[in-house]
Amino acid sequence: VASVQQAAVAGASARVSQADRYARRWEQLLRLEYREAANELRLRRAKWPRSRLEASGSAVFDATASPDTDLFGEKVVRVGKPGETRLSDLFSRGDILVLRPADRSAPWGG
């Protein structure tokens, strides 16, 4: 009976170990993909003119953000732009939106 229990524990341990390796591998790949995308965006923002950034959907200028609600303790803001009715159409699930004040010398929140 003891050897059957030991075999069951060893099998479960091997499955957990295999699952951990699988999860770590995919996490590494996702982090690599994120870093590459972030670096590409950084290069674009440094080299591309404002008009090209906006045309490609890499940046939205002259938009406003206002507090909307809380979700699981995180602030949710509503982003809008004068003349645009569906600014949300520019974004997909998982996109990262960086908000910056129009006047970079102005403090955040006011």
Side-chain angles (χ1 to χ4, degrees):
V1 174
S3 63
V4 171
Q5 288 175 338
Q6 289 173 340
V9 169
S13 178
R15 282 190 301 277
V16 169
S17 178
Q18 186 176 9
D20 286 343
R21 284 194 308 273
Y22 178 84
R24 279 194 305 270
R25 178 66 181 144
W26 278 104
E27 184 179 354
Q28 289 172 343
L29 291 172
L30 289 171
R31 285 182 190 277
L32 178 63
E33 180 182 22
Y34 171 79
R35 279 190 222 111
E36 288 175 358
N39 285 335
E40 182 178 328
L41 180 57
R42 216 173 279 116
L43 288 172
R44 285 181 184 176
R45 289 192 341 233
K47 296 182 179 195
W48 286 10
R50 179 178 169 146
S51 59
R52 186 173 178 191
L53 286 169
E54 232 173 347
S56 71
S58 295
V60 177
F61 296 97
D62 302 322
T64 59
S66 56
D68 190 43
T69 187
D70 289 309
L71 181 65
F72 302 114
E74 297 288 329
K75 297 291 183 197
V76 176
V77 296
R78 183 167 301 276
V79 178
K81 183 175 178 178
E84 300 270 347
T85 56
R86 297 283 308 187
L87 194 58
S88 61
D89 290 342
L90 298 174
F91 305 102
S92 300
R93 184 176 302 217
D95 284 353
I96 297 172
L97 181 62
V98 178
L99 304 175
R100 295 212 167 111
D103 179 1
R104 289 285 191 86
S105 63
W108 280 93

